[in-house]
Amino acid sequence: MARRIRPSTRALLVLAVAAAAFVATLLDAAIPRARREAESNETRALVARLGLTDLALFTEARYTRHPTQADLHSAFQDHPLALEHFPTGSLLPPPRHEAVDRETALPD
Amino acid sequence: MKQWIEKQRYLIDFTLASLARRKTRNLGLLGVYILLVFVLASVALYTHALRIEAGKVLAASPEVILQRLVAGRHDLIPPGYIDRVGRIRGVQKKEGRLWGYYYDAVVKANYTFMVPNAGGVEKGEIVVGPALERSRGLAAGNGISFRSYSGKLHTFIVADVLPQASELVSADLVLMHEEDFRAFFDYPSGHFTDIALTVANPLEVRNVALKLSAALPDSRPILRDEVLRTYASIFDWREGIVLALLSAAILAFGILAWEKASGLSADEKREIGILKAIGWETGDIIKMKFWEGLLISLTAFLVGFVAAYLHVFYYAATLFEPVLKGWSVLYPRFQLTPHIDGLQVATLFFFTVFPYAAAVLVPIWKAAITDPDAVMRG
């Protein structure tokens, strides 16, 4: 008669398999992929060639398609009390713009 | 040592038998627990990998983009404007860019029309992005007509489709010849959308921006650093609607786990009483419950994380698509390169495994130190 497998053996086995799969994901992420690297370089080259500035993640509105190029008032562009009406507005933070100091001259 | 291991194994056997007595409840809890780790890990892995990818790809974008603002809005660059930029030291190359948006009423999608400065697209032809190829069912050699804003119909031949691998940046692009672009949008000749500047020395970029804003007060320079910073903060934890929705789920799970783990049922109390009455020590009972907490939370963490990894990197995060898509019709299909942030994994581990293990132990310890008779009587 075959010996009955103890529940602890079964549980530890499940845990060991899960832990091995976890370690495998870490290794998988650490292995450099020549094909992905080549694709990434190709995309980089396209960005450089066309002078692209944004990801094509959200194509619904112009200030979500090109958040870095949008003017500073784009979220309230329609009328003064207009709320952001695209769902992406809740996923995308406002662009991190640099404040460039400007000199002021008095009008003539 | 062997004896110690054997003792722990008997404790695990006992714990599993005890968990099996309330099978549905415990399996349900494990399922919800795995789901929670899966969603949290998916969000963390996806955003981290996307940020790295964006940083890598957009590092090749122009050092400075110069826009002209009129009444707070982006306006066209008039003729002669580019020449005024030319005299600033450190600027190696300056190119007027031509690009704009087009709403295609046929598929109700927005496209980005663009003129590549390096050329490469013949007159009457266009090169389209992969998402556009999918949505309009295009292939190289096909003809396509767009109705321009002036009401005229313009027909183009698709010369090529941009590589699928570059879809993250090129999904909705339509590249065309300069003359076609100007004719299509009725773009005044000599005008440009904005100016891309190449600055040789990266340390000079800020100075160039300062000089530009002094020389051209109506201009707005956008530095590559700003672009990279914007995408480094994309899906920041504060902004994520996914995380906002998730926080409710996390709270709900927290309550469920706490209720399950801390509120001992009469059965469990009786069990502890009996164990103590037949000679179990307090330490043994705590060890048994420790194994229970560890087995459940560790299994949930490992299974949830591995499932999230497969979902994000091998199934292109399909479950997030409806959330990320928002109202846009064109959505890029892209495969992210796997990246794991050790700190993120450690944080996830700490916040999912430890609270549960602690929530299991505290009430057991309380029950285990009381008199067995009192515990059994409830």
Side-chain angles (χ1 to χ4, degrees), chain B residues 130-349:
Chain B
L132 211 137
E133 176 203 17
R134 268 198 311 275
S135 69
R136 291 292 301 251
L138 294 173
N142 288 171
I144 185 169
S145 299
F146 296 121
R147 190 176 178 275
S148 76
Y149 292 112
S150 61
K152 285 182 219 142
L153 206 64
H154 293 247
T155 306
F156 301 99
I157 301 293
V158 178
D160 202 2
V161 178
L162 290 167
Q164 213 268 318
S166 69
E167 192 158 343
L168 186 58
V169 292
S170 68
D172 65 336
L173 285 187
V174 176
L175 305 180
M176 53 171 54
H177 192 268
E178 181 175 342
E179 279 179 43
D180 286 338
F181 184 89
R182 289 191 187 276
F184 188 80
F185 288 112
D186 260 341
Y187 223 75
S189 75
H191 284 69
F192 289 95
T193 312
D194 50 25
I195 309 169
L197 303 176
T198 312
V199 180
N201 183 358
L203 299 172
E204 276 287 308
V205 174
R206 240 192 101 78
N207 280 338
V208 169
L210 284 171
K211 284 179 195 166
L212 282 171
S213 51
L216 306 161
D218 60 343
S219 73
R220 171 181 166 225
I222 300 165
L223 313 186
R224 183 202 278 163
D225 268 1
E226 292 173 59
V227 171
L228 293 176
R229 254 204 318 266
T230 299
Y231 281 95
S233 67
I234 192 171
F235 306 131
D236 220 342
W237 64 270
R238 284 170 294 133
E239 287 83 13
I241 196 168
V242 184
L243 283 179
L245 291 173
L246 267 182
S247 56
I250 295 168
L251 265 177
F253 176 75
I255 294 165
L256 177 81
W258 183 259
E259 193 273 330
K260 193 259 159 208
S262 61
L264 287 181
S265 65
D267 262 4
E268 281 170 310
K269 274 189 187 159
R270 213 162 56 92
E271 190 181 313
I272 291 166
I274 293 168
L275 289 176
K276 284 205 79 178
I278 58 170
W280 279 49
E281 283 171 21
T282 307
D284 292 334
I285 296 170
I286 290 176
K287 267 182 218 153
M288 180 193 90
K289 281 288 163 182
F290 167 76
W291 279 115
E292 179 189 318
L294 197 71
L295 283 176
I296 290 186
S297 54
L298 207 56
T299 310
F301 173 78
L302 293 173
V303 174
F305 184 86
V306 171
Y309 186 88
L310 294 175
H311 165 232
V312 171
F313 298 121
Y314 287 90
Y315 293 94
T318 16
L319 295 179
F320 289 159
E321 204 180 298
V323 181
L324 294 173
K325 219 168 164 177
W327 288 358
S328 43
V329 173
L330 296 184
Y331 184 72
R333 280 188 198 155
F334 54 93
Q335 202 80 40
L336 286 168
T337 312
H339 284 286
I340 293 180
D341 180 10
L343 185 70
Q344 232 171 23
V345 179
T347 313
L348 191 67
F349 180 81

Side-chain angles (χ1 to χ4, degrees), chain B residues 44-61:
Chain B
L45 288 172
Y46 183 83
T47 52
H48 179 67
L50 190 65
R51 267 185 228 135
I52 293 216
E53 193 82 14
K56 217 196 268 175
V57 165
L58 293 176
S61 68

Side-chain angles (χ1 to χ4, degrees), chain A residues 6 8-9 28 36 42 44 51-52 54 56 59-60 65-66 69 77 90 96-98 100 102, chain B residues 6 9 13 56 61 67 73 97 101 110 168 172 206 217 219-220 226 231 239 309 314 330 337:
Chain A
R6 279 172 63 176
S8 62
T9 316
D28 186 56
R36 279 297 305 155
E42 194 183 351
R44 239 178 102 101
L52 302 178
D54 289 86
T59 55
E60 56 200 295
R65 171 64 179 89
H66 292 100
Q69 308 297 303
Q77 58 190 326
S90 40
R96 302 274 167 106
H97 285 305
E98 190 125 1
V100 176
R102 286 165 193 272
Chain B
E6 211 40 47
R9 286 195 60 189
D13 281 341
K56 217 196 268 175
S61 68
Q67 285 182 350
R73 286 199 176 208
R97 298 197 312 162
Y101 302 105
N110 291 315
L168 186 58
D172 65 336
R206 240 192 101 78
S219 73
R220 171 181 166 225
E226 292 173 59
Y231 281 95
E239 287 83 13
Y309 186 88
Y314 287 90
L330 296 184
T337 312

